[in-house]
């Protein structure tokens, strides 16, 4: 069995985590990886905590069990930390990427992740600047691509553009691409 | 057998789609005459995506958004009797609501294809995956094909038309995927070129179309006890002929695409002493566990059942006769039977064997309950123990259940 | 009426279909009712209301005129008698013994 990278997204319904997880799988799939993405819905209402998952591999993925021990955890909403243990099951060498405007030290404590690697990005601010609404999925995608080194941001964005082109107006597409690129550039290790 | 042209091989597309969208993509390429559907979770996205294809003019299909699943299947019956190539999509409560019309479809020998995203039945209300919906209609005269992943969902949908429409079969086919686990999971798959799919399924020639007004026929006549039995026996012909056709179509499809299909799929069964029998998405997880266990010296194997109806008893018996112990994993309750539906079939298939393996049954994954690899591993370790001691223990048990 | 020979399952058309349309005339229903229908051509005005209303197509008509009753298929339901506008009625049900 070859190595499979397992990723978990934490967000609230409406923040685009499910779509981001799907987009990641689709874009990396087109770039030659084998991928899986699936959501886990709770109460299907805006604001409810949701989780979404990705598997990325260089060879076909057969497993259909749930991801229990992710190597990468993304947190799109820092207010989730009050109710959700985002570190649950994460591997000892897991990477955490959080959308937050807090100081990394303060955040590290709240995340309950010990000494594991933490990356922070103010994705909400980028989203508001570039897209006009606080839907931080695109900047977080950019940050993820940077941190995991899964793809080159330009080729990622090229496929990302084609993918969004099926569903959105060019204004939204350009905003999201810019947000993804800024996420890639602005994410910082904390 | 016909092979794909070089140009076609070049225009295969590698895409990442959800299971629902993989089926919708196959439907776009098939371009049925009529699709009548009432969307229900977790197959909603199939209908939504296909409705978009209709709106965008990518298909010529007459799309009928009905007011219920009962009406959807009824509209399909009418359209198929009229002579059309017909498809619908449903699952769970929707399938249950279709129930009485399902027997009409198979009784009238109307070829049609129904995609199902398997979902639990109420009560309690649950939108997640298990096989209780299609298992409840396993004897309604439909051919059942179960898919492990998005690729198989796509491939099975295309092959289903060839099977259903074969003159020796003329029986409706359902193609099942696991709700959410496959329906909502983005997976990487290969999509064949449109013209290859078009050529593979060919032009549909209905046998007695009602719309052929020069040759009027009567569909749906009543039978008294003096004829009903003869008609039911005659209906069975399609099911009896189906295994050969399913395999033939699977070979032909394989020659074109490189992906071959049969009634069952064996994984590392050549020398397996302990086997799991399972259908759909979980088969993939089992394969991963087998590879792990093989490295630890456990001779584990998998028999995946693709065609549940007609049940491939011979193939199952042949494959399992060499093993010492077998666990059948049912994603459906027993309902008071001696075990899950797949278990009953497998056990009956082994009855004629001189020295059959010990067979146990596990109920798993009800209402979307996850099946982590460690539980699958535990099953194999128990199978090894059964083979070693000869003690079978509990016949039917549950996996990943709190008790 | 002779009992028809029942077919074997192998001899049946697919799906319980009936392929030879218009075969209902082969089933003679004239002996279902012990009574009989008679036609009085002397009062009949050939309005053909009976022909329109007969559920078994048992009113025989030629050149737009009624010429008689198809006794092999008439079940003597009496609808024609009900709709017949002449006085006295031109269609009448009589018991088999009288006939």
């Amino acid at each position: 069995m070859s190595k499979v990278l397992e990723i978990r997204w934490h967000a609230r319904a409406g923040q685009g985590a499910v779509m981001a997880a799907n987009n990641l799988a689709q874009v990396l799939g087109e770039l030659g990886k084998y991928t899986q993405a699936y959501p886990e819905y709770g109460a299907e209402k805006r604001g409810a905590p949701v989780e979404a998952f990705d598997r990325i591999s260089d060879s076909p993925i057969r497993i259909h069990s749930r991801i229990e021990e992710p190597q990468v955890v993304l947190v799109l909403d820092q207010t989730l930390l009050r109710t959700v243990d985002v570190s649950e099951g994460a591997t000892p060498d897991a990477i955490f990427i959080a959308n937050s405007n807090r100081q990394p030290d303060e955040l590290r404590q709240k995340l309950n992740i010990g000494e594991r690697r933490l990356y922070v990005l103010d994705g909400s601010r980028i989203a508001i600047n570039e897209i006009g609404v606080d839907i931080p999925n695109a900047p977080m995608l950019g940050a993820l691509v940077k941190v995991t080194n899964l793809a080159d941001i330009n080729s990622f964005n090229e496929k990302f553009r084609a993918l969004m082109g099926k569903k959105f107006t060019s204004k939204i597409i350009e905003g999201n691409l810019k947000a993804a690129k800024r996420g890639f550039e602005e994410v910082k290790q904390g | 057998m016909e092979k794909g042209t070089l140009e076609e091989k070049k225009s295969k597309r590698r895409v990442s789609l959800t299971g629902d969208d993989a089926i919708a993509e196959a439907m776009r390429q098939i371009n049925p005459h009529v699709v009548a559907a009432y969307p229900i979770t977790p197959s909603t996205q199939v209908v939504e995506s296909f409705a978009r294809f209709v709106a965008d003019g990518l298909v010529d299909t007459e799309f009928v958004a009905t007011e219920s699943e009962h009406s959807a299947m009824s509209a399909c019956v009418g359209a198929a009797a009229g002579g059309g190539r017909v498809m619908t999509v449903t699952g769970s409560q929707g399938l249950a609501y279709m129930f009485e019309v399902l027997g009409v479809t198979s009784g009238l020998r109307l070829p049609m294809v129904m995609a199902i995203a398997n979902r639990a039945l109420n009560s309690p209300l649950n939108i997640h995956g298990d096989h209780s919906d299609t298992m409840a209609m396993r004897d309604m005269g439909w051919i059942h094909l179960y898919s492990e992943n998005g690729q198989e969902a796509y491939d099975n949908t295309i092959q289903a038309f060839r099977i259903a429409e074969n003159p020796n079969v003329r029986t409706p086919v359902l193609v099942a995927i696991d709700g959410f686990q496959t329906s909502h999971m983005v997976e990487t798959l290969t999509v064949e070129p449109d013209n290859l799919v078009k050529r593979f399924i060919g032009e549909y020639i209905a046998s007695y179309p009602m719309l052929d007004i020069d040759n009027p026929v009567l569909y749906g006549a009543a039978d008294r006890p003096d004829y009903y039995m003869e008609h039911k026996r005659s209906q069975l012909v399609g099911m009896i002929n189906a295994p050969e056709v399913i395999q033939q179509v699977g070979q032909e499809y394989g020659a074109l695409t490189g992906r071959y299909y049969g009634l069952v799929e064996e994984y590392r069964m050549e020398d397996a002493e302990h086997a799991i029998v399972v259908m759909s998405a979980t088969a993939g997880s089992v394969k991963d566990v087998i590879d792990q266990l093989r490295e630890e010296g456990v001779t584990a194997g998998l028999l995946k059942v693709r065609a549940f109806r007609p049940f491939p008893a011979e193939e199952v018996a042949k494959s399992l006769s060499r093993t010492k112990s077998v666990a059948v994993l049912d994603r459906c309750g027993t309902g008071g039977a001696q075990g899950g539906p797949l278990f009953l079939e497998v056990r009956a298939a082994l009855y004629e064997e001189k020295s059959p393996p010990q067979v146990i049954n596990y109920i798993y994954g009800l209402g979307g309950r996850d099946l982590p690899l460690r539980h699958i591993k535990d099953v194999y370790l128990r199978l090894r123990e059964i083979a070693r001691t000869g003690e079978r223990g509990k016949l039917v048990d549950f996996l990943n259940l709190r008790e | 009426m002779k009992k028809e020979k029942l077919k074997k399952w192998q001899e049946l058309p697919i799906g319980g279909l009936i392929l030879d349309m218009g075969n209902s005339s082969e089933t003679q229903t004239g002996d279902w009712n012990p009574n009989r229908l008679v036609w009085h051509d002397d009062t009949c005005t050939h309005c053909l209301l009976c022909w329109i209303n007969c559920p078994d197509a048992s009113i025989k008509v030629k050149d737009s005129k009624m010429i008689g009753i198809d006794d092999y298929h008439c079940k003597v339901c009496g609808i024609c008698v009900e709709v017949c506008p002449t006085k006295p009625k031109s269609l009448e049900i009589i018991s088999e013994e009288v006939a």
Side-chain angles (χ1 to χ4, degrees):
Chain A
M1 216 170 27
S2 70
K3 231 170 96 73
V4 181
L5 181 71
E6 297 188 322
I7 302 169
R8 183 170 71 206
W9 301 70
H10 289 277
R12 293 189 186 279
Q15 291 182 315
V18 172
M19 188 179 274
N22 285 1
N23 287 343
L24 179 71
Q26 286 168 306
V27 169
L28 293 179
E30 295 213 2
L31 290 174
K33 299 274 188 192
Y34 288 88
T35 59
Q36 271 185 355
Y38 66 95
E40 195 159 283
Y41 294 107
E44 294 177 58
K45 292 192 173 101
R46 210 173 185 82
V50 291
E51 289 174 15
F53 301 84
D54 283 293
R55 282 193 175 98
I56 316 290
S57 174
D58 289 324
S59 53
I61 303 170
R62 301 180 299 194
I63 185 171
H64 283 104
S65 307
R66 198 175 171 273
I67 291 171
E68 291 186 322
E69 295 171 356
Q71 294 134 277
V72 180
V73 177
L74 292 111
V75 183
L76 267 63
D77 189 330
Q78 55 186 347
T79 66
L80 276 172
L81 303 177
R82 271 180 255 143
T83 50
V84 180
D85 177 10
V86 297
S87 69
E88 192 188 357
T91 57
D93 62 347
I95 301 170
F96 291 80
I97 309 171
N99 166 31
S100 176
N101 52 10
R102 287 174 200 263
Q103 293 304 314
D105 288 346
E106 189 191 349
L107 197 60
R108 179 179 292 280
Q109 215 168 14
K110 285 204 180 292
L111 284 164
N112 187 30
I113 58 170
E115 293 304 307
R116 285 177 284 193
R117 271 175 294 169
L118 170 65
Y119 293 85
V120 185
L121 175 75
D122 195 349
S124 289
R125 192 176 47 81
I126 296 174
I128 289 165
N129 286 349
E130 303 299 340
I131 316 164
V133 281
D134 183 4
I135 298 178
N137 59 357
M140 292 300 279
L141 264 177
L144 176 68
V145 169
K146 171 74 179 284
V147 169
T148 56
N149 203 19
L150 280 166
D152 162 70
I153 188 66
N154 292 325
S155 45
F156 183 91
N157 263 358
E158 192 186 313
K159 299 284 182 192
F160 191 27
R161 179 197 301 276
L163 199 63
M164 286 190 293
K166 293 174 186 167
K167 287 180 182 170
F168 299 107
T169 62
S170 61
K171 196 179 158 205
I172 293 176
I173 294 169
E174 293 313 315
N176 272 288
L177 292 174
K178 219 166 156 195
K181 182 137 198 182
R182 278 188 61 188
F184 185 90
E185 285 160 356
E186 295 177 26
V187 64
K188 288 204 170 59
Q189 186 157 13
Chain B
M1 237 172 278
E2 198 191 350
K3 298 239 192 305
T5 63
L6 188 66
E7 202 172 302
E8 280 169 348
K9 273 178 190 149
K10 275 190 214 152
S11 52
K12 277 174 188 277
R13 280 179 295 136
R14 197 166 169 283
V15 293
S16 296
L17 294 174
T18 63
D20 277 357
D21 273 334
I23 290 174
E25 180 64 5
M27 288 169 75
R28 182 189 65 72
Q29 297 181 313
I30 291 158
N31 195 6
H33 296 119
V34 176
V35 169
Y38 184 86
I40 182 169
T41 303
S43 57
T44 314
Q45 194 59 48
V46 182
V47 184
E48 282 183 11
S49 294
F50 189 74
R52 193 174 301 125
F53 296 150
V54 174
D56 290 349
L58 299 176
V59 288
D60 312 308
T61 307
E62 182 71 35
F63 176 67
V64 191
T66 53
E67 76 280 15
S68 77
E69 289 87 353
H70 189 281
S71 306
M73 186 44 73
S74 301
C76 287
V77 165
R85 183 175 258 162
V86 178
M87 193 169 168
T88 189
V89 186
T90 191
S92 188
Q93 303 303 118
L95 185 64
Y97 194 24
M98 277 182 184
F99 195 83
E100 68 166 351
V101 198
L102 297 173
V104 176
T105 317
S106 54
L108 292 175
R109 301 285 298 281
L110 296 171
M112 85 174 57
V113 174
M114 169 162 63
I116 303 269
N118 277 125
R119 166 184 152 183
L121 286 172
N122 300 351
S123 215
L125 192 152
N126 179 297
I127 59 164
H128 294 273
D130 76 30
H131 297 167
S132 40
D133 52 358
T134 47
M135 285 297 132
M137 51 80 73
R138 61 188 183 274
D139 295 321
M140 290 304 278
W142 284 62
I143 292 167
H144 288 220
L145 300 179
Y146 289 81
S147 323
E148 184 180 319
N149 48 38
Q151 182 73 67
E152 292 194 6
Y154 170 82
D155 294 340
N156 281 339
T157 305
I158 293 166
Q159 291 172 69
F161 279 91
R162 283 285 303 276
I163 297 163
E165 293 169 3
N166 184 293
N168 296 330
V169 178
R170 293 275 164 184
T171 296
V173 179
L174 76 80
V175 172
I177 59 173
D178 277 342
F180 285 96
Q181 222 174 351
T182 303
S183 69
H184 283 58
M185 183 184 270
V186 172
E187 289 182 281
T188 313
L189 61 133
T190 301
V191 168
E192 299 297 328
D194 289 5
N195 52 6
L196 183 142
V197 174
K198 198 175 163 190
R199 203 173 70 230
F200 179 76
I201 60 164
E203 199 73 36
Y204 173 50
I205 300 153
S207 44
Y208 296 104
M210 282 182 96
L211 288 177
D212 178 5
I213 53 171
D214 294 329
N215 298 293
V217 288
L218 177 68
Y219 275 81
D223 263 353
R224 282 175 293 174
D226 61 352
Y227 266 108
Y228 186 82
M229 248 177 104
E230 279 70 22
H231 274 132
K232 290 322 268 187
R233 175 61 186 84
S234 137
Q235 180 189 331
L236 200 56
V237 170
M239 206 50 105
I240 290 169
N241 290 337
E244 196 189 324
V245 174
I246 293 169
Q247 292 178 89
Q248 193 187 310
V249 169
Q251 286 300 310
E252 219 178 294
Y253 189 77
L256 276 175
T257 64
R259 297 183 301 279
Y260 292 84
Y261 287 85
L263 302 168
V264 296
E265 180 195 323
E266 290 181 309
Y267 185 73
R268 303 191 83 160
M269 283 299 288
E270 322 78 64
D271 59 340
E273 293 178 292
H274 320 293
I276 280 180
V277 184
V278 75
M279 305 195 295
S280 294
T282 306
S285 301
V286 173
K287 287 173 187 170
D288 274 5
V289 173
I290 290 172
D291 287 357
Q292 279 176 28
L293 285 173
R294 285 277 175 162
E295 292 193 3
E296 297 165 24
V298 183
T299 45
L302 162 75
L303 179 67
K304 181 177 88 182
V305 175
R306 175 185 179 230
F308 180 75
R309 282 287 182 272
F311 191 77
E314 255 176 63
E315 287 75 7
V316 167
K318 197 171 153 233
S319 175
L320 297 177
S321 62
R322 303 183 293 259
T323 63
K324 291 180 177 164
S325 49
V326 173
V328 182
L329 272 49
D330 266 288
R331 200 165 187 182
C332 173
T334 67
Q338 294 172 69
L342 183 59
F343 169 71
L344 298 180
E345 292 285 358
V346 170
R347 215 172 176 226
L350 289 166
Y351 186 76
E352 301 277 330
E353 292 300 312
K354 283 202 181 72
S355 52
Q358 296 263 27
V359 190
I360 54 169
N361 185 204
Y362 279 105
I363 310 299
Y364 79 100
L366 301 188
R369 174 60 52 87
D370 184 40
L371 189 57
L373 299 189
R374 61 181 179 279
H375 289 282
I376 300 170
K377 191 173 174 183
D378 285 347
V379 171
Y380 277 117
L381 297 181
R382 184 182 158 201
L383 287 178
R384 189 172 62 169
E385 205 53 22
I386 288 172
R388 195 178 64 79
T389 61
E391 301 280 324
R392 191 199 62 203
K394 217 169 178 178
L395 186 64
V396 184
D397 210 344
F398 290 78
L399 272 177
N400 201 9
L401 172 81
R402 291 185 303 278
E403 58 186 334
Chain C
M1 199 173 67
K2 242 181 22 198
K3 196 155 173 78
E4 67 172 310
K5 193 171 176 292
L6 294 171
K7 287 179 176 144
K8 296 176 186 167
W9 71 262
Q10 293 94 335
E11 298 166 346
L12 298 173
I14 191 170
L17 304 189
I18 293 175
L19 306 177
D20 43 346
M21 288 304 279
N23 65 353
S24 56
S25 66
E26 288 164 24
T27 308
Q28 296 184 354
T29 51
D31 57 357
W32 283 15
N33 195 311
N35 299 322
R36 238 188 93 190
L37 183 70
V38 290
W39 174 49
H40 304 299
D41 61 347
D42 50 339
T43 51
C44 178
T45 61
H46 301 280
C47 70
L48 298 187
L49 274 177
C50 54
W51 174 77
I52 291 168
N53 284 284
C54 176
D56 285 301
S58 296
I59 305 294
K60 294 202 252 183
V61 172
K62 194 181 176 190
D63 299 332
S64 303
K65 296 219 159 162
M66 179 167 177
I67 56 165
I69 298 154
D70 175 358
D71 283 320
Y72 291 106
H73 296 97
C74 172
K75 294 175 190 150
V76 199
C77 66
I79 291 174
C80 56
V81 180
E82 198 65 29
V83 299
C84 181
T86 64
K87 283 179 185 159
K89 301 257 182 197
S90 305
L91 291 149
E92 188 188 356
I93 296 172
I94 57 171
S95 75
E96 190 87 328
E97 285 91 61
V98 177

